PDB file of all heavy atoms in Angstrom:
ATOM      1  N   ASP I 242      17.500  22.099  -1.202  1.00 97.00           N
ATOM      2  CA  ASP I 242      16.077  22.274  -1.021  1.00 97.00           C
ATOM      3  C   ASP I 242      15.372  21.121  -0.303  1.00 97.00           C
ATOM      4  O   ASP I 242      14.468  21.303   0.454  1.00 97.00           O
ATOM      5  CB  ASP I 242      15.418  22.369  -2.478  1.00 97.00           C
ATOM      6  CG  ASP I 242      15.904  23.544  -3.259  1.00 97.00           C
ATOM      7  OD1 ASP I 242      15.738  24.697  -2.640  1.00 97.00           O
ATOM      8  OD2 ASP I 242      16.508  23.327  -4.304  1.00 97.00           O
ATOM      9  N   TYR I 243      15.733  19.986  -0.572  1.00 97.00           N
ATOM     10  CA  TYR I 243      15.100  18.808   0.122  1.00 97.00           C
ATOM     11  C   TYR I 243      16.129  17.772   0.538  1.00 97.00           C
ATOM     12  O   TYR I 243      17.118  17.440  -0.053  1.00 97.00           O
ATOM     13  CB  TYR I 243      14.155  18.097  -0.721  1.00 97.00           C
ATOM     14  CG  TYR I 243      12.879  18.959  -1.230  1.00 97.00           C
ATOM     15  CD1 TYR I 243      12.908  19.634  -2.356  1.00 97.00           C
ATOM     16  CD2 TYR I 243      11.850  18.962  -0.323  1.00 97.00           C
ATOM     17  CE1 TYR I 243      11.805  20.504  -2.595  1.00 97.00           C
ATOM     18  CE2 TYR I 243      10.696  19.764  -0.597  1.00 97.00           C
ATOM     19  CZ  TYR I 243      10.683  20.575  -1.698  1.00 97.00           C
ATOM     20  OH  TYR I 243       9.599  21.319  -1.993  1.00 97.00           O
ATOM     21  N   PHE I 244      15.877  17.082   1.832  1.00 97.00           N
ATOM     22  CA  PHE I 244      16.655  16.099   2.205  1.00 97.00           C
ATOM     23  C   PHE I 244      15.599  14.880   2.385  1.00 97.00           C
ATOM     24  O   PHE I 244      14.585  15.070   3.206  1.00 97.00           O
ATOM     25  CB  PHE I 244      17.283  16.326   3.624  1.00 97.00           C
ATOM     26  CG  PHE I 244      18.020  15.043   4.296  1.00 97.00           C
ATOM     27  CD1 PHE I 244      18.770  14.266   3.549  1.00 97.00           C
ATOM     28  CD2 PHE I 244      17.680  14.799   5.622  1.00 97.00           C
ATOM     29  CE1 PHE I 244      19.323  13.145   4.221  1.00 97.00           C
ATOM     30  CE2 PHE I 244      18.196  13.717   6.285  1.00 97.00           C
ATOM     31  CZ  PHE I 244      19.082  12.861   5.544  1.00 97.00           C
ATOM     32  N   ILE I 245      15.995  13.736   1.716  1.00 96.00           N
ATOM     33  CA  ILE I 245      14.897  12.655   1.892  1.00 96.00           C
ATOM     34  C   ILE I 245      15.658  11.459   2.287  1.00 96.00           C
ATOM     35  O   ILE I 245      16.360  10.649   1.500  1.00 96.00           O
ATOM     36  CB  ILE I 245      14.428  12.277   0.234  1.00 96.00           C
ATOM     37  CG1 ILE I 245      13.870  13.748  -0.222  1.00 96.00           C
ATOM     38  CG2 ILE I 245      13.339  11.371   0.435  1.00 96.00           C
ATOM     39  CD1 ILE I 245      13.469  13.617  -1.663  1.00 96.00           C
ATOM     40  N   PRO I 246      15.587  11.061   3.654  1.00 95.00           N
ATOM     41  CA  PRO I 246      16.210   9.820   4.014  1.00 95.00           C
ATOM     42  C   PRO I 246      15.319   8.735   3.756  1.00 95.00           C
ATOM     43  O   PRO I 246      14.096   8.693   4.303  1.00 95.00           O
ATOM     44  CB  PRO I 246      16.293  10.101   5.649  1.00 95.00           C
ATOM     45  CG  PRO I 246      15.374  11.189   6.033  1.00 95.00           C
ATOM     46  CD  PRO I 246      15.020  11.926   4.527  1.00 95.00           C
ATOM     47  N   LEU I 247      15.683   7.689   2.972  1.00 92.00           N
ATOM     48  CA  LEU I 247      14.832   6.560   2.621  1.00 92.00           C
ATOM     49  C   LEU I 247      15.424   5.288   3.296  1.00 92.00           C
ATOM     50  O   LEU I 247      16.187   4.557   2.660  1.00 92.00           O
ATOM     51  CB  LEU I 247      14.784   6.524   1.134  1.00 92.00           C
ATOM     52  CG  LEU I 247      14.168   7.650   0.494  1.00 92.00           C
ATOM     53  CD1 LEU I 247      14.270   7.537  -1.137  1.00 92.00           C
ATOM     54  CD2 LEU I 247      12.695   7.743   0.806  1.00 92.00           C
ATOM     55  N   PHE I 248      15.236   5.126   4.626  1.00 88.00           N
ATOM     56  CA  PHE I 248      15.638   4.006   5.352  1.00 88.00           C
ATOM     57  C   PHE I 248      14.587   3.015   5.582  1.00 88.00           C
ATOM     58  O   PHE I 248      14.725   2.126   6.393  1.00 88.00           O
ATOM     59  CB  PHE I 248      16.230   4.470   6.570  1.00 88.00           C
ATOM     60  CG  PHE I 248      17.434   5.461   6.530  1.00 88.00           C
ATOM     61  CD1 PHE I 248      17.510   6.470   7.362  1.00 88.00           C
ATOM     62  CD2 PHE I 248      18.362   5.212   5.606  1.00 88.00           C
ATOM     63  CE1 PHE I 248      18.664   7.314   7.224  1.00 88.00           C
ATOM     64  CE2 PHE I 248      19.627   5.991   5.388  1.00 88.00           C
ATOM     65  CZ  PHE I 248      19.544   7.097   6.279  1.00 88.00           C
ATOM     66  N   GLY I 249      13.570   3.067   4.687  1.00 76.00           N
ATOM     67  CA  GLY I 249      12.468   2.088   4.865  1.00 76.00           C
ATOM     68  C   GLY I 249      11.414   2.462   5.906  1.00 76.00           C
ATOM     69  O   GLY I 249      11.423   3.611   6.672  1.00 76.00           O
ATOM     70  N   LEU I 250      10.411   1.660   6.092  1.00 70.00           N
ATOM     71  CA  LEU I 250       9.151   1.980   6.903  1.00 70.00           C
ATOM     72  C   LEU I 250       9.016   0.814   7.892  1.00 70.00           C
ATOM     73  O   LEU I 250       9.282  -0.308   7.476  1.00 70.00           O
ATOM     74  CB  LEU I 250       7.875   2.272   6.118  1.00 70.00           C
ATOM     75  CG  LEU I 250       7.942   3.257   4.886  1.00 70.00           C
ATOM     76  CD1 LEU I 250       6.792   3.147   4.128  1.00 70.00           C
ATOM     77  CD2 LEU I 250       7.983   4.660   5.719  1.00 70.00           C
ATOM     78  N   SER I 251       8.639   1.168   9.046  1.00 69.00           N
ATOM     79  CA  SER I 251       8.453   0.211  10.045  1.00 69.00           C
ATOM     80  C   SER I 251       6.911  -0.071  10.252  1.00 69.00           C
ATOM     81  O   SER I 251       6.219   0.776  10.586  1.00 69.00           O
ATOM     82  CB  SER I 251       9.064   0.690  11.402  1.00 69.00           C
ATOM     83  OG  SER I 251       8.826  -0.244  12.499  1.00 69.00           O
ATOM     84  N   PRO I 252       6.444  -1.288   9.798  1.00 67.00           N
ATOM     85  CA  PRO I 252       5.116  -1.678   9.837  1.00 67.00           C
ATOM     86  C   PRO I 252       4.617  -2.129  11.212  1.00 67.00           C
ATOM     87  O   PRO I 252       5.324  -2.788  11.947  1.00 67.00           O
ATOM     88  CB  PRO I 252       5.018  -2.857   8.933  1.00 67.00           C
ATOM     89  CG  PRO I 252       6.301  -3.515   8.963  1.00 67.00           C
ATOM     90  CD  PRO I 252       7.339  -2.462   9.151  1.00 67.00           C
ATOM     91  N   LYS I 253       3.386  -1.718  11.530  1.00 72.00           N
ATOM     92  CA  LYS I 253       2.912  -1.928  12.904  1.00 72.00           C
ATOM     93  C   LYS I 253       1.448  -2.442  12.607  1.00 72.00           C
ATOM     94  O   LYS I 253       0.658  -1.676  11.894  1.00 72.00           O
ATOM     95  CB  LYS I 253       3.035  -0.909  13.934  1.00 72.00           C
ATOM     96  CG  LYS I 253       4.545  -0.642  14.309  1.00 72.00           C
ATOM     97  CD  LYS I 253       4.556   0.455  15.346  1.00 72.00           C
ATOM     98  CE  LYS I 253       6.034   0.660  15.643  1.00 72.00           C
ATOM     99  NZ  LYS I 253       6.178   1.872  16.642  1.00 72.00           N
ATOM    100  N   LEU I 254       0.911  -3.374  13.416  1.00 79.00           N
ATOM    101  CA  LEU I 254      -0.480  -3.808  13.336  1.00 79.00           C
ATOM    102  C   LEU I 254      -1.349  -2.812  13.925  1.00 79.00           C
ATOM    103  O   LEU I 254      -2.582  -2.693  13.570  1.00 79.00           O
ATOM    104  CB  LEU I 254      -0.742  -5.151  13.824  1.00 79.00           C
ATOM    105  CG  LEU I 254      -0.191  -6.355  12.968  1.00 79.00           C
ATOM    106  CD1 LEU I 254      -0.315  -7.663  13.711  1.00 79.00           C
ATOM    107  CD2 LEU I 254      -1.025  -6.392  11.617  1.00 79.00           C
ATOM    108  N   GLY I 255      -0.904  -2.020  14.888  1.00 81.00           N
ATOM    109  CA  GLY I 255      -1.738  -1.226  15.690  1.00 81.00           C
ATOM    110  C   GLY I 255      -2.776  -1.775  16.538  1.00 81.00           C
ATOM    111  O   GLY I 255      -2.481  -2.899  17.181  1.00 81.00           O
ATOM    112  N   PRO I 256      -3.939  -1.280  16.832  1.00 87.00           N
ATOM    113  CA  PRO I 256      -4.939  -1.847  17.691  1.00 87.00           C
ATOM    114  C   PRO I 256      -5.439  -3.175  17.261  1.00 87.00           C
ATOM    115  O   PRO I 256      -5.833  -3.988  18.140  1.00 87.00           O
ATOM    116  CB  PRO I 256      -6.102  -0.750  17.711  1.00 87.00           C
ATOM    117  CG  PRO I 256      -5.374   0.524  17.260  1.00 87.00           C
ATOM    118  CD  PRO I 256      -4.379   0.044  16.273  1.00 87.00           C
ATOM    119  N   ILE I 257      -5.326  -3.498  16.099  1.00 90.00           N
ATOM    120  CA  ILE I 257      -5.613  -4.920  15.658  1.00 90.00           C
ATOM    121  C   ILE I 257      -4.970  -5.952  16.360  1.00 90.00           C
ATOM    122  O   ILE I 257      -5.427  -7.022  16.604  1.00 90.00           O
ATOM    123  CB  ILE I 257      -5.496  -5.012  14.035  1.00 90.00           C
ATOM    124  CG1 ILE I 257      -6.576  -4.056  13.359  1.00 90.00           C
ATOM    125  CG2 ILE I 257      -5.704  -6.409  13.671  1.00 90.00           C
ATOM    126  CD1 ILE I 257      -6.331  -4.104  11.887  1.00 90.00           C
ATOM    127  N   ALA I 258      -3.749  -5.602  16.798  1.00 88.00           N
ATOM    128  CA  ALA I 258      -2.996  -6.684  17.514  1.00 88.00           C
ATOM    129  C   ALA I 258      -3.498  -7.102  18.829  1.00 88.00           C
ATOM    130  O   ALA I 258      -3.168  -8.102  19.344  1.00 88.00           O
ATOM    131  CB  ALA I 258      -1.445  -6.178  17.583  1.00 88.00           C
ATOM    132  N   ASP I 259      -4.487  -6.085  19.351  1.00 90.00           N
ATOM    133  CA  ASP I 259      -4.985  -6.532  20.689  1.00 90.00           C
ATOM    134  C   ASP I 259      -6.474  -7.058  20.538  1.00 90.00           C
ATOM    135  O   ASP I 259      -7.226  -7.200  21.569  1.00 90.00           O
ATOM    136  CB  ASP I 259      -5.049  -5.178  21.335  1.00 90.00           C
ATOM    137  CG  ASP I 259      -3.813  -4.511  21.688  1.00 90.00           C
ATOM    138  OD1 ASP I 259      -2.736  -5.203  21.927  1.00 90.00           O
ATOM    139  OD2 ASP I 259      -3.627  -3.343  21.664  1.00 90.00           O
ATOM    140  N   TRP I 260      -6.838  -7.560  19.307  1.00 94.00           N
ATOM    141  CA  TRP I 260      -8.116  -8.080  19.206  1.00 94.00           C
ATOM    142  C   TRP I 260      -8.307  -9.621  19.513  1.00 94.00           C
ATOM    143  O   TRP I 260      -9.309 -10.231  19.278  1.00 94.00           O
ATOM    144  CB  TRP I 260      -8.531  -7.912  17.755  1.00 94.00           C
ATOM    145  CG  TRP I 260      -8.968  -6.396  17.363  1.00 94.00           C
ATOM    146  CD1 TRP I 260      -8.812  -5.306  18.257  1.00 94.00           C
ATOM    147  CD2 TRP I 260      -9.581  -5.890  16.199  1.00 94.00           C
ATOM    148  NE1 TRP I 260      -9.252  -4.174  17.646  1.00 94.00           N
ATOM    149  CE2 TRP I 260      -9.591  -4.508  16.279  1.00 94.00           C
ATOM    150  CE3 TRP I 260      -9.822  -6.547  14.937  1.00 94.00           C
ATOM    151  CZ2 TRP I 260     -10.190  -3.761  15.410  1.00 94.00           C
ATOM    152  CZ3 TRP I 260     -10.328  -5.673  13.946  1.00 94.00           C
ATOM    153  CH2 TRP I 260     -10.494  -4.250  14.208  1.00 94.00           C
TER     154      TRP I 260
END
Side-chain angles (χ1 to χ4, degrees):
D242 295 301
Y243 291 97
F244 170 51
I245 311 172
L247 297 174
F248 297 143
L250 300 169
S251 178
K253 294 183 179 180
L254 283 175
I257 291 174
D259 300 322
W260 287 6

